[in-house]
Amino acid sequence: MACDGEFSYKCFRYYFISASVVGGRYNPALMKPALTLWHDVSLRELNTFGIDAHAHTFVSVNAVADLQAIAADPQLSVLPRLILGGGSNLLLTQDVPGLVLHMVNTGRMVVGESDQHVIVRAQAGENWHEFVQWTLAQGLPGLENLSLIPGSVGAAPIQNIGAYGSELAEFFHSLTLFDFVTCETRVLSRDDCHFGYRDSIFKHALRDRAVIIDVSFALPRQWNPNLRYAELAAELAAQSVSDITAQDIANTVIAIRRRKLPDPAQIGNAGSFFKNPVVSQEQHAQLLATHPKLVAYPQSDGSVKLAAGWLIDQCGWKGRSIGPAGVHERQALVLVNRGGATGADVLALAKKITDDVRARFGVMLDNEPVII
Ligand SMILES: Cc1cc2nc3c(=O)[nH]c(=O)nc-3n(C[C@H](O)[C@H](O)[C@H](O)COP(=O)(O)OP(=O)(O)OC[C@H]3O[C@@H](n4cnc5c(N)ncnc54)[C@H](O)[C@@H]3O)c2cc1C
């Protein structure tokens, strides 16, 4: 990103003045630009809903040193912060008042091996899908079911991304974070992260204080295809492939996703806007008595996950709009920006849908994207 050209907002370079004053004498040779701060930055191209909210102050984070510089600065460290990856799981309902830290640190490598696993690490700013494809190209299967999920590697642990019968936690090894409270970096293991369904410690105790810098994955040497997701298994069976490879699975997942999900480059959206609600067996039985076609998935802990898309569809919302915010024609779970929607428009639509589902089924829907 440059300071001139297509960007019309104001920017200035931020200097480590103290580093340039040595022995009481000003030494311009030591005065290094550390961070470039930008003001009043449109985030429209940086969130997949395409909402035109502005960041009061914006900085690109290339390395831990950038985070340390922000934490050490008396003015920057007190600003409210928004960590931004690919902006594919956010709904911006207002301008962002403080500092947006855009994670752009890149790099990926094999960092360790054991008899059972190969450990790979990617920096937070890496694109998730490109990282998955890179692991497959290295002959390291495991993450193929998670192909084509938009966004960055650094955001993937936040909601323990999942799709097509797999979730990040299965292959997670560890991550490095910068903690704005202690101003230190530390490593978290899988147990430390408290992964759950679209959930982790980063949505709770570490919310607003941790910046994920890199994530490591333990990929199995002994690979078995994961065909738990019925549609994926059926599609692969239809291809009559004799020895299914991880790349076959990735290609099939990519094809299904392209067919089923709207491309944010064509129409603004953040994927599923609602989580699938989890209910008790008793509540499931009661619902089934009145709604025999209820779509539900029994969970290993005895609870039952309901298909939120089915509940929304039953309420007649598929394809409907309120102003510029709408429900996708093929996917009732996906809310879209039909052009010029604000975050408030999308949130108002989400509230109406939530109210209708609660009134009809007595089930409360929970938003999946982070509402800002
Ligand atoms: C078309 C479409 C399909 C999708 N399909 C799926 C799917 O199948 N499964 C699924 O799980 N999700 C899906 N998503 C949601 C989204 O892709 C994931 O949640 C993704 O991990 C978000 O990454 P991001 O970099 O865009 O995060 P952002 O939207 O930039 O940020 C999301 C949250 O993470 C925080 N964050 C981001 N980076 C960091 C960091 N380095 N350190 C600390 N906090 C950070 C942000 O502050 C924010 O709270 C889909 C989205 C779209 C648009």
Side-chain angles (χ1 to χ4, degrees), residues 134-158:
W134 175 80
T135 59
L136 298 178
Q138 308 306 302
L140 300 171
L143 301 174
E144 55 280 352
N145 293 52
L146 302 175
S147 293
L148 211 63
I149 297 181
S152 60
V153 167
I158 305 287

Side-chain angles (χ1 to χ4, degrees), residues 46-49 81-91 101-103 105 123-128 145-164 166-168 176-178 197-198 202-203 206-215 257 261-265 267-272 334 368-372:
L46 297 176
N47 72 99
T48 58
F49 256 122
R81 287 177 294 273
L82 170 65
I83 319 300
L84 181 65
S88 64
N89 209 24
L90 288 176
L91 178 65
L101 295 98
H102 189 209
M103 302 304 292
N105 55 329
Q123 301 298 305
E126 284 284 338
N127 174 277
W128 171 262
N145 293 52
L146 302 175
S147 293
L148 211 63
I149 297 181
S152 60
V153 167
I158 305 287
Q159 72 157 7
N160 179 22
I161 57 169
Y164 293 90
S166 181
E167 61 181 19
L168 168 133
T176 313
L177 62 80
F178 179 80
Y197 168 58
R198 300 295 177 273
F202 303 102
K203 290 188 160 190
L206 291 181
R207 193 187 165 126
D208 295 332
R209 65 183 274 186
V211 181
I212 295 171
I213 297 162
D214 61 53
V215 188
R257 292 184 70 101
L261 285 170
D263 178 357
I267 186 161
N269 74 89
S272 302
V334 178
E368 187 176 306
V370 180
I371 313 292
I372 306 292

Side-chain angles (χ1 to χ4, degrees), residues 54-57 79-80 94-100 372:
H54 283 226
H56 180 272
T57 308
L79 292 176
Q94 56 179 332
D95 288 340
V96 185
L99 181 63
V100 170
I372 306 292

